[in-house]
Amino acid sequence: MAAAIEIPTRVLTNTSDQLKIPVIGMGSAPDFTCKKDTRDAIIEAIKQGYRHFDTAAAYGSEQALGEALKEALDLGLVSREELFVTSKLWVTENHPHLVVPALQKSLKTLQLEYLDLYLIHWPLSSTPGKFSFPIAMEDLLPFDVKGVWESMEECLKLGLTKAIGVSNFSVKKLQNLLSVANILPAVNQVEMNLAWQQKELREFCNANGIVLTAFSPLRKGGSRGPNEVMENDMLKEIAEAHGKTIAQVSLRWLYEQGVTFAAKSYDKDRMNQNLQIFDWALTKEDLEKIDQIKQNRLIPGPTKPQLNDLYDD
């Protein structure tokens, strides 16, 4: 068994004790189809050095992840202090009075005393108790950002989570939140990859101490048409020049932008390849070529039909 790789961390400056988040997380969206696969994958990931595990109430993966983490803790593979666990508040609970109970339920399912990071999953609210995906338009309700964020801050005060943040928030929606927040969001988790580089959002988050976490970092998860990252000839050339894979080039680019990311793979070799990005660098020419990649969003949103103003762009 090779030694576990030490994954670099980023400091969450908008936390009282400067909490650190591992650069690479293990994603679990949204189909933990087989519990046994999940258990084996999580145990393997911990052995390889993964410490950040990202889930959400809506993924249906909290239970399987919780069982795997409990086993890893019982086996002494890792301590709770070394782990970084993220979960998310679903839109049906995105109401001031439901936030704390939703987090308590997630903790029970995960068999944990606290989370490291709790995120508002989408800047949307829908009818409580009526789960559907995609979300039906008639179920949408006004999102009380001030009231919900006060309840997120309450989760912190109660010790249920060490950090709070958001997911899928645009610059405009972050500005609205910052105008009412007493405690600033530590993280904004959004789609980000070489074909959706999020320059404006990155600059805004940097200026406000918000760490970005990229989901779909390899442009997977939307399954619409060709993958503009993994099937890109120019990226293939860059990868070959470095003796790396396109996936490694993509993750290295994210790392060099100062963002964190959650990659999902249950394949032992790919899990390991995703960690082999820290001992080399992209050249200035590589970065210039990457800048030329045509940009378009992969994930249009969780509603059907799509909301025109969800991302304010």
Side-chain angles (χ1 to χ4, degrees), residues 17-18 33 58 73 94 131 136 143 150 177 237 269 286 299:
D17 54 357
Q18 305 284 287
T33 40
L73 290 164
N94 204 7
F131 182 89
F143 171 32
E150 280 170 1
L177 172 56
E237 284 172 23
D269 293 333
D286 294 339
I299 314 290

Side-chain angles (χ1 to χ4, degrees), residues 32-107:
F32 266 28
T33 40
C34 168
K35 295 258 177 82
K36 183 173 184 319
D37 287 356
T38 298
R39 178 204 154 279
D40 293 348
I42 299 298
I43 299 283
E44 173 60 33
I46 286 172
K47 285 178 178 170
Q48 288 195 21
Y50 285 85
R51 294 294 178 262
H52 180 193
F53 294 91
D54 178 273
T55 184
Y59 295 167
S61 60
E62 286 181 330
Q63 188 184 343
L65 175 60
E67 287 167 6
L69 292 179
K70 183 179 187 302
E71 183 165 342
L73 290 164
D74 289 347
L75 289 169
L77 294 176
V78 70
S79 69
R80 176 63 186 96
E81 293 68 41
E82 291 171 277
L83 289 171
F84 191 101
V85 183
T86 299
S87 194
K88 308 180 192 84
L89 174 79
W90 187 239
V91 296
T92 47
E93 275 83 31
N94 204 7
H95 305 277
H97 66 294
L98 296 177
V99 175
V100 171
L103 175 47
Q104 287 169 328
K105 188 182 174 194
S106 282
L107 288 173

Side-chain angles (χ1 to χ4, degrees), residues 194-230:
L194 293 185
W196 191 244
Q197 295 179 16
Q198 296 273 31
K199 274 189 182 148
E200 188 196 351
L201 185 62
R202 264 189 285 149
E203 285 166 11
F204 182 85
C205 287
N206 279 341
N208 289 281
I210 301 166
V211 170
L212 270 183
T213 297
F215 68 74
S216 300
L218 303 178
R219 194 77 180 170
K220 291 177 176 174
S223 63
R224 292 188 327 222
N227 187 319
E228 292 111 324
V229 172
M230 302 302 282

Side-chain angles (χ1 to χ4, degrees), residues 144-157:
D144 174 5
V145 65
K146 186 175 190 290
V148 167
W149 192 252
E150 280 170 1
S151 298
M152 293 289 283
E153 293 175 346
E154 183 63 21
C155 291
L156 264 185
K157 289 171 192 148

